[in-house]
Amino acid sequence: MKKMRMSIADRKNIRIPLTWAAVVVSIFSLFPILALAGVDRASADDWSFGLLTHLAWVDTHSVIRVLQAAFASVKKYYFSWQGTWFSVFLFSLQPEVFSHDAYWIVPVLMTGLIIGGVSDFLYCLLVRFLHISRQDFLLLDAVLLLVLIQFVPYQTSAIFWYNGAAHYTVPFALVMAACACFVRYMLDFRKRDLILAAFWMTLLGGTNYLTAIFGLGLFLLFTVLFFHRDRRALFMLIPMALETAGLLVSALAPGNAVRGGPQYHVTAAGMIGAAGRSLVQGTQGICSSLREYPVAMAAMLVMAVFLWDILREKVSALRLHFPCPGLVIVYLWGLYCAVYWPVVFVGGSVSDGSVSMGVPNTVFWVFIFALAGSLLYGLGWICEKCGGGREGLRLPVYVAGFAVALLTVGVCRMDLKNSTDYVCYYYIRSGKAAVYKEQMDELTEILTDESIEDAVVPFIVGEQEPLVHLPVTLEKDEWSNLKMAQFFRKKSLVAIPRDEWEAQREIR
């Protein structure tokens, strides 16, 4: 009889088919990304940052020599360009350092890091700590990953370009891994989780400043929230201190002043003023994100319905407690505003396009996590105080939530053309991917031909987004020409119009 009752209850659980649907959609949504993996190629800063390591690999095929070259690159750029020491270390290990056919791994690796990092953290938080079922975890995880991957503003820097993704996507995954270690430590109090958290946070201190602030802010919030559970939460001040030390090493780099130029000055007044301006820009960012990502917001509305349905069952049964919801939610949005601070401090703005493409990606990801965290904590508190409503309320909430979401998608369906899948699909379906691959294969063949010392290549024509290509130019002393020539050990490298290049080839 008990099994029969459970079976009937399962059949009434609308979340089961929705979970399967969400998981299937999430899996299939990866296919367009993976389809472009074989077309993806190194470009721009990949050549300069990977120069020393590539030459070390070609000359010795020694991993030790490559690592020595990577540390030499960190030292070089620490004094001449920027202090983000771990990012530069990653830059120097771009895949084409080892093989000209290895760049396909970039979109696979970056997508995997997003999925693995977010899923690991959510599993620890939802399943292990809040005791939500694995099925419900899969449902929430699938929806959140769809939003994070499909609606990231710039797919190039998030997924396809190694240099950009190493500086922004990898640190985001580090935050997720460190937070998962935090939750595991608070559940099991194993030293290895503390050590791993400290390791990930230390590395985070050597990456971009936006994500580093995000990581510190989350650790501080978790330390306060978990302190009432066990005072050993204070041990997580160690990873926070190590990340701060890594940030200090990065901030004090002589290269920062070189890159910043004469106008680069670090003053207390400037830092305080930037904090105020970041609050203004962050508030504007909240409003613009709600307006600019309507389909993503529709997905988050659906996620809110799922969360409410899950929490109304679990909160009272498990006696879950959500203290001080107002403070927690305000803190989460304050943390979102805080990630604007590094950009504002150097006189930039996220909205005017004066920053690298990875910055809006990070801001978007933090926005989605602040929203998801607010929904989880706010709905948890409501269910704790009000019980979440009667069973009869369940169907109307689902109907209303899905109706509003579908209406939003219908009205704002043009926003779907900005999704990662559509951008990738259009690039493949239009034939642009095939043309780009053919041209890049042609370029690589010329550059890897050891009999050619002064290389002349045709211009790469056509659009590259969501991929990236910093073109070779007519001027052999151009930065991109010089770096590619050094990478492939050419005396010189220039590009000419394709028709001229083809005419010269016919003559030869």
Side-chain angles (χ1 to χ4, degrees):
M1 183 64 70
K2 183 177 180 180
K3 290 183 178 180
M4 184 179 296
R5 285 198 301 269
M6 290 178 63
S7 178
I8 292 172
D10 286 342
R11 286 198 296 270
K12 289 182 178 179
N13 189 351
I14 193 174
R15 295 198 303 272
I16 293 177
L18 291 173
T19 298
W20 285 108
V23 170
V24 170
V25 169
S26 293
I27 292 173
F28 275 92
S29 72
L30 299 177
F31 288 176
I33 299 172
L34 299 179
L36 272 183
V39 185
D40 204 9
R41 298 297 175 87
S43 183
D45 293 344
D46 290 329
W47 305 120
S48 59
F49 285 105
L51 178 60
L52 297 181
T53 47
H54 175 64
L55 297 181
W57 177 253
V58 170
D59 290 339
T60 68
H61 279 76
S62 167
V63 174
I64 294 177
R65 290 293 180 85
V66 170
L67 290 176
Q68 289 174 341
F71 287 118
S73 296
V74 172
K75 180 179 179 181
K76 171 186 174 182
Y77 288 105
Y78 186 82
F79 287 96
S80 66
W81 179 71
Q82 188 166 286
T84 49
W85 48 272
F86 184 60
S87 287
V88 173
F89 179 80
L90 293 177
F91 296 165
S92 68
L93 298 176
Q94 64 102 343
E96 289 202 18
V97 162
F98 305 99
S99 171
H100 299 300
D101 299 319
Y103 210 78
W104 63 268
I105 200 173
V106 174
V108 177
L109 175 63
M110 297 308 166
T111 306
L113 285 173
I114 296 172
I115 294 172
V118 172
S119 299
D120 185 26
F121 171 52
L122 286 186
Y123 182 86
C124 291
L125 181 65
L126 299 179
V127 178
R128 294 210 56 205
F129 181 67
L130 295 179
H131 302 289
I132 289 173
S133 70
R134 288 181 174 85
Q135 169 208 297
D136 289 331
F137 151 73
L138 285 174
L139 177 59
L140 298 173
D141 188 45
V143 175
L144 189 59
L145 286 172
L146 273 171
V147 173
L148 293 172
I149 295 174
Q150 290 301 319
F151 296 99
V152 63
Y154 296 100
Q155 296 88 4
T156 300
S157 284
I159 299 172
F160 293 103
W161 180 36
Y162 178 82
N163 193 273
H167 196 42
Y168 292 99
T169 303
V170 172
F172 177 73
L174 285 176
V175 172
M176 297 294 101
C179 289
C181 289
F182 192 126
V183 178
R184 279 196 293 266
Y185 177 76
M186 293 307 303
L187 293 170
D188 305 322
F189 297 106
R190 294 178 301 189
K191 290 182 180 179
R192 70 180 183 185
D193 292 319
L194 176 59
I195 293 171
L196 272 176
F199 181 67
W200 300 136
M201 290 289 280
T202 302
L203 297 182
L204 187 62
T207 64
N208 75 83
Y209 302 126
L210 287 78
T211 316
I213 289 173
F214 180 48
L216 276 177
L218 284 181
F219 260 57
L220 179 60
L221 175 63
F222 289 161
T223 300
V224 172
L225 292 178
F226 278 102
F227 180 75
H228 78 280
R229 178 185 176 92
D230 195 294
R231 291 186 178 182
R232 281 176 284 186
L234 292 177
F235 278 112
M236 283 299 163
L237 295 176
I238 297 174
M240 293 174 64
L242 290 173
E243 191 207 316
T244 303
L247 272 173
L248 188 61
V249 170
S250 177
L252 294 177
N256 294 337
V258 175
R259 188 184 185 192
Q263 70 275 14
Y264 180 80
H265 296 289
V266 178
T267 63
M271 296 171 69
I272 295 172
R277 294 193 300 275
S278 66
L279 183 61
V280 174
Q281 279 201 25
T283 303
Q284 294 172 344
I286 294 171
C287 298
S288 63
S289 294
L290 293 171
R291 182 179 65 255
E292 293 172 5
Y293 306 106
V295 178
M297 294 305 101
M300 295 303 292
L301 174 61
V302 171
M303 184 179 176
V305 173
F306 293 149
L307 268 173
W308 167 80
D309 192 25
I310 294 166
L311 291 171
R312 72 181 186 85
E313 297 174 356
K314 297 294 183 181
V315 169
S316 59
L318 299 174
R319 296 182 179 179
L320 299 178
H321 187 42
F322 297 86
C324 306
L327 289 176
V328 172
I329 292 173
V330 168
Y331 178 88
L332 285 172
W333 290 109
L335 178 57
Y336 167 76
C337 293
V339 301
Y340 283 78
W341 185 87
V343 176
V344 174
F345 178 70
V346 296
S349 172
V350 176
S351 60
D352 66 3
S354 63
V355 295
S356 65
M357 293 183 293
V359 171
N361 291 345
T362 299
V363 169
F364 173 75
W365 285 333
V366 175
F367 173 83
I368 294 300
F369 262 83
L371 181 56
S374 298
L375 290 173
L376 174 62
Y377 209 91
L379 291 171
W381 179 81
I382 291 172
C383 291
E384 177 188 353
K385 297 300 180 183
C386 307
R390 302 184 303 275
E391 178 67 24
L393 188 62
R394 187 185 191 200
L395 184 59
V397 170
Y398 267 89
V399 171
F402 274 78
V404 173
L406 290 173
L407 179 62
T408 301
V409 174
V411 173
C412 305
R413 58 186 178 276
M414 292 301 293
D415 187 45
L416 290 171
K417 290 190 174 182
N418 297 319
S419 67
T420 299
D421 274 357
Y422 184 87
V423 170
C424 293
Y425 170 77
Y426 175 77
Y427 191 61
I428 296 170
R429 183 69 180 83
S430 64
K432 294 177 180 178
V435 172
Y436 178 76
K437 184 179 187 304
E438 181 180 353
Q439 293 183 92
M440 292 304 291
D441 287 343
E442 189 176 60
L443 176 66
T444 303
E445 183 180 356
I446 296 171
L447 293 175
T448 54
D449 187 341
E450 296 182 359
S451 67
I452 300 175
E453 293 185 340
D454 295 294
V456 179
V457 301
F459 284 125
I460 302 297
V461 297
E463 297 179 13
Q464 284 86 48
E465 285 193 23
L467 309 184
V468 62
H469 176 68
L470 187 66
V472 184
T473 70
L474 286 165
E475 302 294 330
K476 67 178 182 180
D477 294 329
E478 187 76 25
W479 180 85
S480 57
N481 295 37
L482 289 173
K483 293 305 177 183
M484 288 185 70
Q486 292 171 359
F487 192 91
F488 290 96
R489 284 184 163 165
K490 303 298 180 186
K491 287 184 178 179
S492 66
L493 173 63
V494 295
I496 60 176
R498 179 164 290 275
D499 56 349
E500 292 183 23
W501 181 82
E502 290 177 349
Q504 291 183 9
R505 186 172 62 173
E506 289 177 4
I507 294 173
R508 289 194 298 270

